[in-house]
Amino acid sequence: MSLTNFHTHTKYCDGNSTCEEVILSAIDKKMSAIGFSGHGYTFFDHSCCMMDTAKYIEELKVLREKYRDRIAIYIGVEEDSCDLCNRDDFDYIIGSSHYIKVGDEFISNDQDIQSPVLCLEAFDNDFVHFSEVFYSRFCDYVLSRKPDIIGHFDIITKFDELGESHFLGKKEYERIAEKYIAIAAESGSIFEINTGAISRGYRKTPYPAPNLLKVLKDLNAKVILSSDSHSAETLVSGFAEARELLRSVGITNIVTSPFEC
């Protein structure tokens, strides 16, 4: 199987490495392709997004030509469902949801361990109501936008393995998440098996959770491994664990590129 990663962040947003450092690391790891996916600009929060998208695209075009004989390089974006990018500027898009809008406020669901607490407080600590709103809005975006890749579908569970679980293990939550991941699969988009929280020490398992992977398996949905890398050193972190998890639920067909489909 070709070794690839299409969810990669650099210093253009909240990553720690330059584009060229990432490319050289990918070549060293004998990867056949690397896709860059800087966080798309969000008008309401500049803390993690790209502030100079044109420069990002131009630099990657130069590097793509420089290393064209050594690795395939793709210019993508991780678009937030709350603020859409110009799709024509990119080779592919990852569609994600990092915020929940309550009134005029955008609340991050994954910035730190307090994020899910703040999200739930905005919904009177009703995890069922919050989950319904989060997933229904995200699925509305997925079905209308049809991103090439669906990013970390159940990201609201990011910190659930660090302490008290707000969502995982609760039957009502699992029912909601299973219902909506089946709806999202109607888009035909690829679901990423995201290992990013493993490399950061937040989780021992990737997204989506095993019960959601079983839904994807039954629906024969397409999946791709992604490290959600924020450093040149973590391009394939957690891939071995993710492959083992996929095998355990019966998923054997893993695409290695959004351009296979």
Side-chain angles (χ1 to χ4, degrees):
M1 177 185 295
S2 296
L3 190 58
T4 66
N5 181 60
F6 281 83
H7 195 154
T8 313
H9 298 287
T10 69
K11 288 185 175 181
Y12 276 103
C13 53
D14 59 344
N16 300 315
S17 304
T18 67
C19 295
E20 190 158 23
E21 286 170 343
V22 169
I23 291 167
L24 291 173
S25 177
I27 292 171
D28 185 62
K29 291 174 173 57
K30 296 180 170 50
M31 297 174 69
S32 61
I34 183 73
F36 289 87
S37 57
H39 286 292
Y41 178 81
T42 45
F43 72 91
F44 51 84
D45 183 4
H46 293 171
S47 63
C48 294
C49 69
M50 293 189 291
M51 298 301 292
D52 195 341
T53 305
K55 186 177 178 182
Y56 160 82
I57 293 171
E58 184 57 35
E59 179 176 348
L60 284 174
K61 286 181 177 178
V62 171
L63 291 171
R64 177 158 60 187
E65 183 64 23
K66 179 177 179 178
Y67 292 101
R68 63 182 301 174
D69 295 330
R70 302 179 67 184
I71 190 170
I73 297 171
Y74 296 94
I75 305 171
V77 65
E78 184 178 14
E79 169 185 272
D80 194 87
S81 60
C82 292
D83 197 352
L84 305 190
C85 301
N86 182 356
R87 194 167 194 163
D88 293 338
D89 289 341
F90 304 100
D91 297 326
Y92 68 99
I93 63 171
I94 298 174
S96 299
S97 182
H98 296 96
Y99 304 89
I100 189 79
K101 187 178 181 184
V102 181
D104 294 327
E105 184 180 5
F106 293 86
I107 305 174
S108 170
N109 58 47
D110 75 319
Q111 185 171 3
D112 55 42
I113 198 168
Q114 284 301 308
S115 295
V117 175
L118 296 174
C119 287
L120 287 170
E121 286 178 353
F123 286 81
D124 297 322
N125 291 310
D126 184 341
F127 75 89
V128 172
H129 185 203
F130 169 73
S131 300
E132 279 279 357
V133 172
F134 173 80
Y135 282 120
S136 64
R137 290 181 184 176
F138 189 33
C139 284
D140 286 346
Y141 158 81
V142 168
L143 293 178
S144 62
R145 185 66 159 165
K146 293 183 172 58
D148 301 284
I149 298 171
I150 297 172
H152 36 55
F153 182 79
D154 52 344
I155 194 173
I156 58 174
T157 68
K158 178 176 179 177
F159 299 105
D160 266 17
E161 293 183 11
L162 290 181
E164 178 186 359
S165 174
H166 300 289
F167 306 102
L168 294 176
K170 297 182 177 182
K171 293 297 183 183
E172 289 177 279
Y173 163 75
E174 291 177 354
R175 175 185 57 78
I176 293 167
E178 288 170 6
K179 175 180 71 173
Y180 281 108
I181 201 167
I183 292 171
E186 295 173 9
S187 67
S189 300
I190 304 167
F191 287 84
E192 67 169 3
I193 310 304
N194 184 308
T195 65
I198 298 175
S199 63
R200 296 181 190 83
Y202 301 140
R203 301 172 63 101
K204 295 181 180 178
T205 53
Y207 321 97
N211 64 304
L212 302 183
L213 293 178
K214 291 176 182 176
V215 174
L216 296 182
K217 188 257 183 183
D218 291 342
L219 294 172
N220 199 30
K222 298 182 288 291
V223 302
I224 188 170
L225 291 183
S226 123
S227 65
D228 198 345
S229 177
H230 285 65
S231 167
E233 288 72 42
T234 59
L235 291 176
V236 295
S237 293
F239 277 18
E241 297 95 319
R243 288 193 183 98
E244 180 57 36
L245 176 59
L246 291 172
R247 280 194 293 268
S248 73
V249 298
I251 296 177
T252 56
N253 184 22
I254 306 171
V255 303
T256 57
S257 164
F259 311 109
E260 287 182 29
C261 308

